[in-house]
Amino acid sequence: MTDDNLAPEGSRPSGPFRLGDRVQLTGPKARLHTITLREGGELHTHHGVLKHEQLVGQPDGSVVANSGGHEYLALRPLLRDFVMSMPRGAAIVYPKDAAQILAEADIFPGATVVEAGVGSGALSLWLLRAIGAEGRLVSFERRDDFAAVARANVETFTGQVPANWDVVVGDLATELNATVAEASVDRVVLDMLAPWECIDAVAEALTPGGVVVCYVATATQLSRVAEYIRGTGLFTEPDANETMVRGWHVEGLAVRPDHRMVAHTGFLVWARRLAPGAVPPEVKRRASKSSYGDEDVELWTPGAVGDRQITDKNLRKRVREAERAAEGARQAAGRSDVPGESA
């Protein structure tokens, strides 16, 4: 293969397929296969063999047949396709919630954004795309193994570890102010069990008018973080919502909602940083301090809220899967001499 058939690092995801490109193949019975095009590579199924070289040079959206005559539709996977199928160390932020986070936080090109925790890197990919090459993303993650999965997933999708992305293994509450300058961050996204523990550090790092968005799973978490933000007196009145997506079957006159839907995955609560010394106008009909007691605060604790755990064995498997995918992308793109990222 010539250099023209190699996908350059960070190349635009369009045009004819090249070695190093990820391709999503839809085969018989709508079964999906996602491959990375390699020199001499082959996709083996019980329907036959499809050589990777059949795809190189073909336009996106082509249909190719394997040795058994079975046809496959070839498309570059969209970001939402990738994040739903990539190896996971921690639960991901689903595309519907990622889209809302980008909107409510007003993520813009060139922004300086902080996120915690990085999890499996799904939200990191959306944020990196939104801030562009001129922006900066700082991702905090307490666990080395989760950070390793996130790095590998981002490299697999983008073809490289972005130069404007820093992954800090540590606690945002204690490490943030040593990592970024005071009042220098435009947006903060907190996807963690107890985001209220980080609000004070976030307030110091955010520029006046900056936005903090918290993604939480339960109503008790939502209540506590909203009350904490409100109680600091450093932010605007917090807003909150959840997003539910229902698909529709549309075929001729048979138009009806799907029987299943992506309903509750989490709540978003967000607020904006006030200028130093600013006192916002009083909000009428605000809940009084007597609206909750000590027993309610006990239910707000992280232990009571609960957290789904992944076993060490399963997590080690996810780390290996993610790192193999990243290594395959490097080799296919002719960058096998670049050492893999490690936590």
Side-chain angles (χ1 to χ4, degrees), residues 12-301:
R12 182 182 177 88
S14 61
F17 292 125
R18 296 155 294 192
L19 293 177
D21 280 345
R22 289 181 65 80
V23 180
Q24 182 174 274
L25 300 170
T26 305
K29 299 183 180 179
R31 181 164 183 176
L32 296 177
H33 302 273
T34 301
I35 62 174
T36 299
L37 296 182
R38 300 184 178 90
E39 182 105 38
E42 296 179 339
L43 171 66
H44 291 258
T45 71
H46 63 278
H47 293 293
V49 178
L50 178 67
K51 296 181 181 294
H52 290 196
E53 63 187 31
Q54 294 175 244
L55 293 166
V56 175
Q58 295 295 321
D60 212 339
S62 295
V63 175
V64 294
N66 68 2
S67 61
H70 294 273
E71 294 185 330
Y72 289 82
L73 171 63
L75 289 164
R76 286 185 176 87
L78 302 176
L79 180 50
R80 62 177 173 84
D81 299 322
F82 178 78
V83 300
M84 294 302 293
S85 63
M86 69 187 190
R88 301 180 189 180
I92 66 167
V93 174
Y94 281 81
K96 72 180 183 70
D97 295 316
Q100 280 295 102
I101 289 171
L102 296 183
E104 304 297 0
D106 189 36
I107 308 296
F108 58 91
T112 297
V113 180
V114 169
E115 68 160 336
V118 68
S120 300
L123 183 59
S124 303
L125 282 163
W126 292 104
L127 293 172
L128 285 166
R129 175 172 284 182
I131 65 176
E134 300 302 316
R136 180 192 179 196
L137 175 63
V138 182
S139 302
F140 287 83
E141 175 54 57
R142 292 176 175 176
R143 298 184 54 164
D144 289 345
D145 40 17
F146 284 0
V149 171
R151 286 192 185 99
N153 283 333
V154 170
E155 183 176 6
T156 299
F157 187 78
T158 64
Q160 59 187 330
V161 177
N164 61 339
W165 183 42
D166 298 312
V167 180
V168 179
V169 178
D171 192 333
L172 179 143
T174 58
E175 302 291 335
L176 178 59
N177 294 331
T179 305
V180 299
E182 182 178 347
S184 66
V185 175
D186 297 302
R187 307 290 187 258
V188 176
V189 182
L190 302 178
D191 172 19
M192 57 176 61
L193 188 61
W196 50 87
E197 296 176 351
C198 299
I199 294 300
D200 292 334
V202 166
E204 186 174 340
L206 271 176
T207 186
V211 182
V212 59
V213 176
C214 302
Y215 180 61
V216 293
T218 69
T220 49
Q221 290 170 294
L222 173 64
S223 176
R224 182 165 187 182
V225 70
E227 289 298 332
Y228 195 98
I229 290 172
R230 184 178 287 128
T232 65
L234 301 175
F235 294 88
T236 59
E237 181 70 9
D239 289 307
N241 68 23
E242 65 175 333
T243 303
M244 292 180 279
V245 175
R246 181 172 70 174
W248 279 70
H249 172 87
V250 181
E251 186 175 347
L253 296 178
V255 181
R256 60 181 181 273
D258 289 341
H259 297 300
R260 301 181 65 184
M261 65 180 291
V262 182
H264 176 77
T265 48
F267 297 102
L268 294 182
V269 54
W270 65 95
R272 301 188 69 179
R273 180 68 164 95
L274 296 172
V279 178
E282 183 179 356
V283 179
K284 295 183 178 180
R285 292 186 295 180
R286 187 187 202 172
S288 68
K289 294 293 185 181
S290 60
S291 62
Y292 58 89
D294 292 341
E295 65 278 6
D296 299 309
V297 173
E298 178 61 28
L299 291 175
W300 278 339
T301 60

Side-chain angles (χ1 to χ4, degrees), residues 296-333:
D296 299 309
V297 173
E298 178 61 28
L299 291 175
W300 278 339
T301 60
V305 170
D307 187 20
R308 291 191 301 174
Q309 299 293 327
I310 183 172
T311 65
D312 291 341
K313 181 179 178 181
N314 199 356
L315 180 55
R316 288 194 296 270
K317 178 182 177 182
R318 305 289 177 83
V319 173
R320 290 194 299 270
E321 289 176 354
E323 290 180 341
R324 278 199 300 268
E327 177 64 21
R330 286 195 296 271
Q331 291 180 354

